Amino acid sequence: MKTNSLYRLIFAAIIIISFAAFAVGFYNNLNEKSRLKKEKASLENDLEELNSKLEAINYDLENSDSLQFIEKEARALGMIKPGETIIIDMDKEKGGKDENTD
């Protein structure tokens, strides 16, 4: 009779330990799933930003042979066309107020 109750006790302990191991594994999987969802959302956001940049680069590349694009880039570098006169607004250079009041 004692051996029978000892086997029941061992069996109960095995069941309890198995259940605890299952619960811990399940909890860890839930945490991992939550972390992966957050990482996926972050990566999707990064992908969206990169796709926008790629779209802009492709647009620039497609239009890089046009005169408008070349002029825009040249002006960004501070270049001017031959015969153009540069006018510098000294008020804006000094941070002064604009006196144009219409």
Side-chain angles (χ1 to χ4, degrees):
M1 195 58 121
K2 285 186 176 183
T3 58
N4 200 12
S5 63
L6 181 62
Y7 288 133
R8 284 184 183 175
L9 183 62
I10 292 173
F11 180 72
I14 290 173
I15 296 294
I16 291 172
I17 291 171
S18 298
F19 180 74
F22 174 77
V24 168
F26 184 74
Y27 177 76
N28 288 338
N29 283 339
L30 286 178
N31 283 341
E32 182 70 8
K33 183 178 179 182
S34 175
R35 185 190 67 78
L36 289 174
K37 279 185 178 181
K38 289 177 185 175
E39 185 177 350
K40 180 184 176 186
S42 174
L43 290 173
E44 286 174 345
N45 187 35
D46 291 348
L47 180 62
E48 187 175 313
E49 288 177 18
L50 290 173
N51 280 332
S52 295
K53 288 180 182 179
L54 180 60
E55 191 174 306
I57 289 170
N58 283 332
Y59 177 80
D60 286 346
L61 183 61
E62 288 173 7
N63 296 310
S64 64
D65 291 335
S66 73
L67 291 176
Q68 290 174 336
F69 179 80
I70 293 169
E71 183 177 346
K72 182 182 92 171
E73 293 299 312
R75 298 234 182 239
L77 295 172
M79 297 180 178
I80 60 170
K81 288 182 178 180
E84 284 185 330
T85 304
I86 299 176
I87 300 173
I88 300 174
D89 186 356
M90 298 304 285
D91 287 336
K92 286 187 180 181
E93 286 290 319
K94 294 179 183 177
K97 294 182 181 178
D98 190 11
E99 295 182 12
N100 291 338
T101 54
D102 292 338

